[in-house]
Amino acid sequence: MIHFAKFVTKSYKWILAFWIILFGVMTYFAIQLPGLLAGDGFRVDGEHEKVMKIVSEDFGLPAESLFIVFDGKSDKEIESTLADLEPLDVVSEIVSPITEQDQYTDDLSYAVLQFSKAPDDMPQVVEDIRASFDGTEGIVLTGGGAFEHDINQASQRDLMTAEAIGLPIAIIVLLFAFGTLVASFVPLIVGIGTVVSTLGVMALLGNQVDLSIFVLNIVPMLGLALSIDFALLFISRYREELQKQHVVDSIIMTIRTAGRSIIFSAVCVFIGLGAMLLIKVDIFMNIALGGMIVVGMAVISSLTLLPAVLMMLGERIHKGRLLKERGEDANGWRKFANGVIKRPVTIALVATVLLAIAVIPVRNMELTIPQIDSLPESFDTRTSFEQMQDTFGLDNESTVFLLAERNGGWKTTEGLTAMKKLQDQLLDDSLVKNVSTIYTLSGIETPAQWENRLKIPQMYDQLNPILKDFTDDNRLLIPVTLGAAGSSNEAQDWVRDWSAKQTDWNLLIGGEPRFNQEIFDEIADHIVYVLLIIVVSTFFILMFAFRSLIIPIKAILMNILGLSATFGILVYIFQYGHFGLHPGTVALIIPVIVFSLVFGLSMDYEVFLISRMQEEFSYSFDNDQSTVEGLATTSKVITSAALIMIVLTGAFAFTDVMPVKQIGVGIAVAVAIDATIIRLLLVPSLMKLFGKWNWWLPFGKGLYRSTSQFPKDN
């Protein structure tokens, strides 16, 4: 690190120039990012996608559908609205409620807009359709493409809202931490540089890969929080060194010490994010990719841009003092630490009980894939869709598209018999409400009757188009209506059971139940490996860093307990419906993302705290003294860093998009638990209880390899 540190101090002007140019270029690309985002990221390259492509291309079913909901509109108003869509030339077919009575009531009706292929620019199509009825009250466009358009718009507003709330409070926290205006604004410069650069890189990648709309919130949230955290640690150490030596040597020493801690912390977060790449669902891969890029940018900016800015400022880092330095801070924390280690058993028990109580709601956690409920209830797109579902009972059923492949095709006598057999098997299933086949649509009951009717020329002209609609070479399409919502466990279990059935035909299944089942199973099949990678790698990194066997085990167990308590609190807030929220569910992505992010973030505070304890212990071999001194000298920085993380992520609690709100609250709660109950209570009390065993390593070069090497207590 020393050679790198010397390079930075000598080339700081060139580094500043590079970052200014980079910022300008990346700002140009970052502005384009929102237009490149599409979809919520819940996509897996599986059977559902394959089936739906075949159904659309070979069987002529629409590739995309939107709905226009009419509330209290006359037939004339409905017909006029639909007629105004024809000049747009974007919809392949319109299914009007005037002709389809199952889409019509006196109070509420809906039209289906079908697209033969998904439009290349669905957001623009949505805007054009909405413009055609010019926001007329009682007429609302809803459905998949409209959801995505509104979530994208809401995400952009959410980002501005969160920054407007979080950044001013973060500045106040930095002012209390540093006491000067100049030192307080430097971390913001680094944070903004990190976020803009990352968004620019993501925009460049957006031309090659599909990016979720949630990237727009999560990347800035993580980038700002990490960059400011790293800068806080770096500047705190720099100001400490500046009291003993001049600027250049202070920066070199800070890069060698705080710089190492930053790299170590980033590695922990990087591993947590990288592990998510094992889950082949777009949103996890997007967040992993964006997160790893922003972590890398945060490290680069903290070790290049930040020291370059400090070199330029020199002693002026102390300018603009608003608060007096308080030398008694460390003494206050020292008294607190002494109080904790005097009653280690009591405090450890109280802290554990508090966390255990918070864990209780986890047993009732209900995970779902975010859909229409991602939007707040204030959006007409959501309320109209839910009104349509309730009125027409669409939320209590779902459609599965079953493709059956048979050698020899389905138009022969044997094929028609096999088709009837498959139809009867489906209708015998208690969850199946209806199936669409040539028999159910024509009213013909047996294969023999079908063949006889085809011999009549007039009947042939009526029946042959039906046969073509459901057969294509060796493939047969059977739409199946299930009496359960597509997101329900019953529908997903039905898909799993039918996929596992041994039949004479090769069965492929698509539709909403299959989509949900593939997402859930992809996560369930890989989550153990994700957790193992994070936990095992963290264990070895901490063991290597602290030359201890006990400390990494304690850190991992405390992290798991703290995160479990976090998930319990999320259930209490979002699922039970507290703090002004309606009861709902927890987004499927939340446990994985929060665990992967916070497990690494909490190691940042663990390393900073335990490193100082280890340093003290290597001098005194007094476990109690090293615990007290480590807590006293690091608590202010750790508390400030945690508070900034809480503010910047917790600000998303005031946003509209529910999954982003849950991620922000989840990270904020997890960091709050880690920085208070775990870091201030459990860590010092357990350090006291384990004594010198904290520093025991039975192999390698530990502070102690066996108990016989422990110095005798005075």
Side-chain angles (χ1 to χ4, degrees):
M1 290 289 286
I2 189 169
H3 295 294
F4 174 76
K6 289 181 177 179
F7 166 77
V8 171
T9 55
K10 289 180 180 178
S11 310
Y12 76 94
K13 292 182 180 179
W14 288 106
I15 291 173
L16 284 173
F18 169 80
W19 272 98
I20 291 171
I21 295 171
L22 180 67
F23 183 83
V25 172
M26 288 302 162
T27 298
Y28 170 77
F29 290 109
I31 293 172
Q32 303 174 32
L33 181 61
L36 300 173
L37 305 179
D40 56 13
F42 284 94
R43 174 193 165 274
V44 61
D45 187 14
E47 190 172 294
H48 162 77
E49 193 166 282
K50 176 182 178 182
V51 168
M52 298 314 293
K53 183 177 181 180
I54 293 173
V55 165
S56 172
E57 294 180 355
D58 297 342
F59 288 91
L61 269 68
E64 187 83 30
S65 296
L66 291 173
F67 306 94
I68 297 182
V69 178
F70 300 95
D71 189 359
K73 296 299 177 183
S74 65
D75 292 1
K76 184 177 181 180
E77 289 174 306
I78 293 173
E79 291 175 342
S80 175
T81 300
L82 298 180
D84 290 340
L85 297 179
E86 295 181 6
L88 299 178
D89 196 28
V90 293
V91 181
S92 58
E93 184 177 354
I94 299 175
V95 182
S96 170
I98 304 301
T99 57
E100 298 292 331
Q101 290 302 305
D102 58 352
Q103 299 172 202
Y104 184 91
T105 68
D106 290 338
D107 298 323
L108 193 79
S109 302
Y110 72 93
V112 183
L113 311 183
Q114 297 180 347
F115 301 83
S116 57
K117 64 177 184 178
D120 294 331
D121 190 4
M122 179 57 82
Q124 187 60 51
V125 170
V126 169
E127 291 181 4
D128 291 343
I129 293 174
R130 285 176 171 169
S132 70
F133 48 82
D134 196 24
T136 304
E137 187 176 352
I139 303 177
V140 177
L141 180 70
T142 186
F147 300 157
E148 293 178 8
H149 176 274
D150 289 351
I151 290 175
N152 196 332
Q153 297 296 314
S155 295
Q156 295 180 54
R157 290 199 300 270
D158 283 355
L159 181 58
M160 291 186 287
T161 299
E163 288 177 347
I165 295 171
L167 286 178
I169 301 176
I171 292 172
I172 294 172
V173 175
L174 289 169
L175 281 171
F176 275 101
F178 294 132
T180 68
L181 282 172
V182 174
S184 301
F185 278 95
V186 170
L188 294 180
I189 295 173
V190 177
I192 292 170
T194 298
V195 170
V196 171
S197 300
T198 303
L199 293 178
V201 173
M202 295 299 290
L204 293 172
L205 292 174
N207 294 311
Q208 280 74 44
V209 297
D210 294 329
L211 294 177
S212 163
I213 52 184
F214 295 130
V215 166
L216 193 62
N217 296 108
I218 293 171
V219 168
M221 178 199 306
L222 182 60
L224 273 176
L226 269 181
S227 299
I228 294 177
D229 254 17
F230 290 165
L232 180 63
L233 172 61
F234 194 98
I235 295 173
S236 296
R237 186 57 185 257
Y238 168 69
R239 294 176 74 196
E240 184 181 326
E241 294 296 330
L242 204 55
Q243 296 175 3
K244 299 179 289 187
Q245 51 196 344
H246 58 75
V247 172
V248 173
D249 289 338
S250 296
I251 288 179
I252 291 175
M253 180 57 69
T254 303
I255 292 176
R256 292 178 60 189
T257 54
R260 288 181 183 275
S261 298
I262 288 170
I263 292 173
F264 179 84
S265 172
V267 168
C268 290
V269 179
F270 199 88
I271 290 172
L273 290 163
M276 284 197 292
L277 290 173
L278 291 178
I279 303 176
K280 303 301 182 183
V281 179
D282 279 3
I283 189 166
F284 292 113
M285 300 179 74
N286 284 174
I287 292 174
L289 179 63
M292 288 190 293
I293 292 173
V294 82
V295 169
M297 282 292 185
V299 173
I300 294 171
S301 63
S302 298
L303 298 183
T304 58
L305 175 61
L306 178 55
V309 171
L310 294 177
M311 279 290 297
M312 180 184 69
L313 292 173
E315 298 283 349
R316 288 172 291 182
I317 191 71
H318 301 302
K319 293 289 185 180
R321 178 163 296 281
L322 298 178
L323 299 173
K324 293 182 180 180
E325 291 187 274
R326 296 177 59 189
E328 69 271 15
D329 283 347
N331 291 329
W333 286 110
R334 191 172 288 107
K335 291 177 182 178
F336 174 82
N338 277 313
V340 171
I341 66 172
K342 284 180 182 178
R343 302 173 183 83
V345 175
T346 302
I347 289 177
L349 284 174
V350 170
T352 303
V353 168
L354 287 173
L355 293 175
I357 292 172
V359 171
I360 293 174
V362 170
R363 62 185 179 179
N364 298 321
M365 180 181 282
E366 182 181 348
L367 299 175
T368 58
I369 296 175
Q371 294 176 334
I372 185 63
D373 54 353
S374 293
L375 282 171
E377 294 182 346
S378 58
F379 278 68
D380 290 341
T381 313
R382 173 177 175 174
T383 54
S384 294
F385 187 82
E386 290 175 338
Q387 189 179 9
M388 179 181 71
Q389 282 187 319
D390 293 340
T391 302
F392 297 96
L394 303 179
D395 55 341
N396 297 320
E397 59 183 40
S398 55
T399 301
V400 168
F401 297 97
L402 191 148
L403 279 179
E405 295 181 335
R406 178 183 181 275
N407 292 331
W410 296 91
K411 298 179 181 180
T412 63
T413 301
E414 293 80 6
L416 292 169
T417 302
M419 188 190 306
K420 184 66 166 59
K421 179 182 177 182
L422 177 56
Q423 172 193 296
D424 292 343
Q425 287 181 354
L426 289 166
L427 289 173
D428 287 341
D429 193 297
S430 59
L431 197 65
V432 175
K433 291 184 65 176
N434 184 38
V435 297
S436 297
T437 68
I438 61 173
Y439 299 110
T440 60
L441 292 179
S442 66
I444 298 174
E445 296 182 356
T446 67
Q449 290 177 355
W450 176 272
E451 288 186 310
N452 289 333
R453 298 280 180 88
L454 279 182
K455 294 176 182 178
I456 304 172
Q458 296 88 341
M459 295 299 297
Y460 179 88
D461 293 338
Q462 296 177 20
L463 298 179
N464 193 52
I466 299 176
L467 188 62
K468 286 184 177 180
D469 286 342
F470 290 94
T471 59
D472 178 63
D473 294 331
N474 293 336
R475 290 184 300 215
L476 168 70
L477 170 65
I478 301 182
V480 181
T481 302
L482 302 180
S487 59
S488 67
N489 292 330
E490 294 86 354
Q492 293 179 44
D493 289 340
W494 188 92
V495 170
R496 291 188 186 96
D497 292 342
W498 271 87
S499 294
K501 281 184 184 294
Q502 297 296 323
T503 67
D504 298 331
W505 322 285
N506 178 30
L507 295 181
L508 299 175
I509 300 175
E512 185 185 357
R514 182 60 157 178
F515 164 77
N516 285 283
Q517 173 260 317
E518 286 182 335
I519 297 288
F520 272 90
D521 288 359
E522 176 67 19
I523 296 173
D525 291 345
H526 295 91
I527 188 62
V528 173
Y529 300 105
V530 172
L531 300 182
L532 279 175
I533 289 174
I534 295 172
V535 170
V536 172
S537 61
T538 299
F539 172 79
F540 282 108
I541 291 172
L542 291 181
M543 186 178 68
F544 173 79
F546 298 130
R547 294 178 290 168
S548 166
L549 190 64
I550 300 297
I551 286 175
I553 294 174
K554 286 193 302 178
I556 289 170
L557 292 177
M558 285 188 291
N559 261 15
I560 292 173
L561 180 58
L563 284 165
S564 299
T566 298
F567 299 143
I569 292 172
L570 287 178
V571 171
Y572 179 81
I573 294 173
F574 293 101
Q575 194 169 309
Y576 293 173
H578 289 91
F579 302 104
L581 295 173
H582 292 286
T585 58
V586 177
L588 180 63
I589 59 175
I590 302 303
V592 180
I593 292 174
V594 172
F595 187 96
S596 300
L597 283 175
V598 176
F599 206 92
L601 289 172
S602 62
M603 288 304 145
D604 182 15
Y605 308 135
E606 177 80 6
V607 170
F608 193 45
L609 174 60
I610 301 297
S611 293
R612 295 301 288 263
M613 292 181 181
Q614 181 188 40
E615 185 179 336
E616 292 292 334
F617 188 75
S618 66
Y619 296 142
S620 65
F621 292 105
D622 186 324
N623 183 73
D624 289 0
Q625 180 183 333
S626 64
T627 299
V628 171
E629 287 302 314
L631 193 61
T633 54
T634 61
S635 290
K636 181 179 179 181
V637 175
I638 289 176
T639 304
S640 299
L643 188 55
I644 287 172
M645 184 72 70
I646 292 167
V647 166
L648 291 175
T649 57
F652 284 85
F654 301 96
T655 58
D656 289 331
V657 179
M658 188 56 68
V660 176
K661 183 194 292 281
Q662 291 181 354
I663 290 173
V665 172
I667 295 174
V669 170
V671 171
I673 289 174
D674 185 83
T676 54
I677 297 176
I678 291 177
R679 215 57 56 200
L680 298 182
L681 299 178
L682 270 179
V683 168
S685 59
L686 292 178
M687 290 294 291
K688 166 65 177 178
L689 290 173
F690 279 91
K692 296 184 178 69
W693 285 96
N694 288 301
W695 312 105
W696 177 62
L697 187 69
F699 48 83
K701 295 182 179 180
L703 290 175
Y704 297 113
R705 296 188 191 180
S706 68
T707 56
S708 63
Q709 292 178 292
F710 288 169
K712 293 181 179 180
D713 294 323
N714 295 328

